[in-house]
Amino acid sequence: MKQSLSPRPLHGLRVIEMGQLLAGPFAGCILGYFGAEVIKIEPPISGDPIRGWRVVEDGTSLWWHSLGRNKKSVTVNLKEQQGREIAKQLINGADVVIENFRPGTMEKWGLGPEVFESSNPQLVYARISGFGQTGPYAHKPGYASVTEGISGFRYVNGHPEQAPVRPNLSIGDSIAGLHTALGITMALLERQNSGSGQVVDVALYEAMFNLMEAVVPEYDGAGVIREPSGSTVTGIVPTNTYRCRDKKYVVIGGNGDSIFKRLMLAAGHPEMAENPALATNTGRVAHEVDIDAALAAWCVRHPSQWIIDTLEAVRVPVGPIYNVADMMADPHFQARGLFEQVEINGKPLKIPAIIPRLSKTPGQTDWPGPSLGSHTDEVLSQLGLSVDDIAKLHSEQII
């Protein structure tokens, strides 16, 4: 693991991460990567469910080692009053708290943002939920799958006349986590001027809504509803995915006017390259079926790498469809440092680096996701609890 030349940009900030699964923990992972001290509060015995999700080795999810990196695991039973008092003390000593429980849960526990307005007025309080903290849907459970649907994202993702398709990822959670990290950093910057914190309210469906480009103005201004379009993008031609002779796929983006000419010449269609009716995107949209048919017929006659080499030689954007094995074997991914190696029980494990890439103060992985509760005694001793106090809390299953 690399070492930063200078303190990382969030060095000195203390973050309390309360919540589980993906959106909140991903936001905490980003902050910890760039230098914040992230204390993750987990329920005793079970911990965050992510610890047991998907591919499990030696009793722990491989995903956890990535998502839990750089965090200090502290077990606290929030169902008990003593546990909630410990959480309150930790939040009172923090710069940021991240929570992604259903709206009203933190208030029920006596840990809502209003509780800290006087005791910790500089606190940045980030809240993640399916539908936000206000409005008629605030009370609804909001998993990523549901919020991706209502956001409009799922509607445009798929093929016409077929069921909408979801990516095989919880993209709504990850996008919400990114928005949360951005909102927190903006609130911290504002705090430098005002001296006070604020609430950052992130809804999963709104984070996905933020990706919808021109969908709203096109509907409001022209009554146009963006429909699903398979592997193409509505109104931009040609940009599509084509199958090659070796059964691999390539993505070709030939929608620039001069790029289109070079593409069609390389594909053996000078009549299309020089056709005035296809000289602009508007004309190409009208002839999308013919252009795609010509490119599909060309690609299926040649191996994917031949297509890529041919088009790269004439400066047409083109690339393969990678799976994870392809990524990890690619020299560009390697050169850009997109994989970091950690050690788990004496065995090496690669996890993804986190962008953005900062030239002077880059982020880094200091340690992989820790074992459950491994930092509990250390963190609670900083609150002034004695060894005997901590032992008693353990025996009472408060921590």
Side-chain angles (χ1 to χ4, degrees):
M1 290 171 278
K2 62 183 180 293
Q3 295 295 318
S4 298
L5 299 177
S6 305
R8 281 171 276 178
L10 302 181
H11 177 76
L13 288 170
R14 172 171 273 202
V15 178
I16 307 301
E17 180 189 301
M18 302 180 68
Q20 56 190 26
L21 300 179
L22 187 49
F26 186 50
C29 180
I30 295 170
L31 301 182
Y33 193 77
F34 289 98
E37 179 192 22
V38 179
I39 297 173
K40 179 174 179 62
I41 295 179
E42 301 184 72
I45 303 174
S46 60
D48 191 316
I50 287 286
R51 290 177 176 273
W53 276 24
R54 301 232 167 96
V55 181
V56 174
E57 293 283 345
D58 298 325
T60 301
S61 162
L62 293 175
W63 189 6
W64 166 251
H65 300 307
S66 174
L67 190 62
R69 79 182 82 186
N70 294 4
K71 298 179 183 180
K72 295 180 177 180
S73 174
V74 174
T75 52
V76 178
N77 186 351
L78 295 175
K79 294 179 180 179
E80 298 290 340
Q81 182 60 36
Q82 278 185 283
R84 295 192 288 271
E85 286 300 322
I86 290 171
K88 186 174 182 180
Q89 284 183 267
L90 289 171
I91 295 172
N92 268 321
D95 298 281
V96 177
V97 63
I98 303 171
E99 65 95 358
N100 65 340
F101 298 110
R102 188 180 295 191
T105 300
M106 292 291 278
E107 283 80 359
K108 181 182 70 177
W109 287 338
L111 300 171
E114 71 286 345
V115 172
F116 303 98
E117 287 177 356
S118 57
S119 60
N120 188 3
Q122 292 190 320
L123 180 68
V124 172
Y125 198 114
R127 319 195 75 175
I128 308 171
S129 60
F131 297 96
Q133 300 297 313
T134 60
Y137 297 166
H139 68 284
K140 290 187 176 186
Y143 270 29
S145 54
V146 174
T147 59
E148 289 166 23
I150 199 171
S151 73
F153 171 79
R154 289 280 187 94
Y155 185 85
V156 300
N157 198 42
H159 295 267
E161 307 302 325
Q162 295 184 21
V165 175
R166 76 168 294 170
N168 193 11
L169 299 162
S170 297
I171 189 171
D173 282 309
S174 296
I175 296 297
L178 287 168
H179 279 79
T180 304
L182 175 62
I184 288 169
T185 52
M186 288 192 291
L188 290 170
L189 281 172
E190 195 282 332
R191 189 178 76 172
Q192 293 179 2
N193 297 322
S194 68
S196 61
Q198 59 183 297
V199 173
V200 177
D201 180 359
V202 176
L204 269 70
Y205 90 100
E206 290 169 356
M208 295 304 295
F209 175 79
N210 222 14
L211 305 183
M212 296 306 290
E213 298 180 356
V215 166
V216 169
E218 287 173 354
Y219 174 71
D220 192 56
V224 174
I225 296 177
R226 179 86 61 91
E227 299 291 339
S229 60
S231 55
T232 69
V233 176
T234 300
I236 302 175
V237 176
T239 177
N240 207 343
T241 302
Y242 304 94
R243 191 175 188 180
C244 301
R245 192 175 75 191
D246 55 5
K247 295 183 171 54
K248 295 182 179 180
Y249 290 87
V250 295
V251 175
I252 298 175
N255 43 288
D257 295 345
S258 62
I259 293 174
F260 175 74
K261 287 185 177 182
R262 298 196 299 273
L263 167 61
M264 300 316 290
L265 287 172
H269 288 280
E271 77 287 357
M272 288 186 167
E274 303 301 335
N275 187 343
L278 307 179
T280 65
N281 185 64
T282 301
R284 293 192 293 274
V285 169
H287 295 85
E288 179 177 11
V289 173
D290 294 335
I291 294 170
D292 263 340
L295 290 172
W298 177 59
C299 287
V300 81
R301 294 197 303 269
H302 302 284
S304 56
Q305 194 58 54
W306 187 91
I307 295 288
I308 291 170
D309 292 343
T310 299
L311 293 184
E312 285 183 343
V314 293
R315 295 175 286 113
V316 172
V318 61
I321 300 289
Y322 268 0
N323 62 26
V324 66
D326 298 322
M327 288 184 252
M328 294 189 73
D330 189 288
H332 191 75
F333 280 68
Q334 298 288 345
R336 294 284 290 175
L338 285 182
F339 309 107
E340 297 180 342
Q341 185 164 296
V342 296
E343 190 173 284
I344 307 299
N345 298 326
K347 297 184 291 187
L349 178 71
K350 286 188 172 64
I351 60 176
I354 294 178
I355 60 169
R357 190 181 310 277
L358 304 182
S359 62
K360 292 183 179 179
T361 56
Q364 67 182 44
T365 298
D366 299 313
W367 63 83
S371 58
L372 180 63
S374 54
H375 299 89
T376 301
D377 293 5
E378 169 199 332
V379 171
L380 296 192
S381 67
Q382 295 170 1
L383 294 179
L385 275 68
S386 69
V387 172
D388 290 341
D389 292 334
I390 294 172
K392 186 171 184 293
L393 290 169
H394 276 295
S395 68
E396 295 174 348
Q397 297 184 332
I398 302 299
I399 58 176

